[in-house]
């Protein structure tokens, strides 16, 4: 156990804070850091990414529900970003074996 039991006479008040030893204060801070990491998540997130593939049989000839009226084609992807920040989004177009982009017929 990292922390001693609370004294029944003091409960959660801070009357004895001035009497804490540096070691016990370090234990309280360490416990608070562990609890906050469990509640909020770690501050460090490894760089990486998610790959979202659009089905190859989707045509670009018709209006896609959810996109602006008057448009044709495209795609609509719902994604929940894990935290606030700057994100880099890469889009790669499908190409055939001759390196030509796919076009609507």
């Amino acid at each position: 156990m990292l922390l001693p039991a609370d004294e029944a006479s003091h409960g959660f008040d801070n009357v004895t804070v001035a009497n804490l030893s540096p070691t016990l204060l370090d234990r309280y801070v360490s416990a608070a850091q562990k609890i906050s990491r469990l509640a909020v998540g770690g501050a460090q997130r490894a760089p990486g990414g998610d790959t979202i593939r659009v089905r190859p049989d989707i045509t670009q000839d018709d209006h896609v529900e959810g996109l602006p009226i008057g448009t044709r084609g495209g795609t609509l992807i719902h994604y929940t970003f894990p935290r606030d920040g700057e994100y880099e989004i890469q889009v790669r177009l499908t190409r055939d074996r001759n390196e030509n982009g796919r076009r609507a017929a």
Side-chain angles (χ1 to χ4, degrees):
M1 176 182 261
L2 292 175
L3 304 173
D6 286 336
E7 294 179 21
S9 63
H10 291 101
F12 288 101
D13 65 22
N14 59 3
V15 173
T16 60
V17 170
N19 299 332
L20 288 179
S21 69
T23 303
L24 187 55
L25 184 59
D26 284 342
R27 287 183 180 174
Y28 276 109
V29 170
S30 176
Q33 288 172 335
K34 288 178 184 179
I35 292 167
S36 65
R37 266 195 306 274
L38 290 172
V40 179
Q44 303 292 330
R45 179 160 184 202
D50 295 325
T51 300
I52 300 171
R53 298 188 189 280
V54 178
R55 290 187 352 245
D57 62 338
I58 295 177
T59 67
Q60 298 294 306
D61 299 330
D62 299 318
H63 173 72
V64 175
E65 187 66 34
L67 293 181
I69 296 176
T71 61
R72 291 189 307 165
T75 191
L76 182 63
I77 298 170
H78 294 280
Y79 185 82
T80 303
F81 290 91
R83 58 181 65 205
D84 290 342
E86 292 184 21
Y87 288 85
E88 178 180 325
I89 298 174
Q90 296 178 357
V91 177
R92 295 194 177 129
L93 300 176
T94 302
R95 300 196 176 273
D96 63 18
R97 61 184 158 185
N98 296 324
E99 290 298 315
N100 295 320
R102 291 179 64 187
R103 292 186 218 149

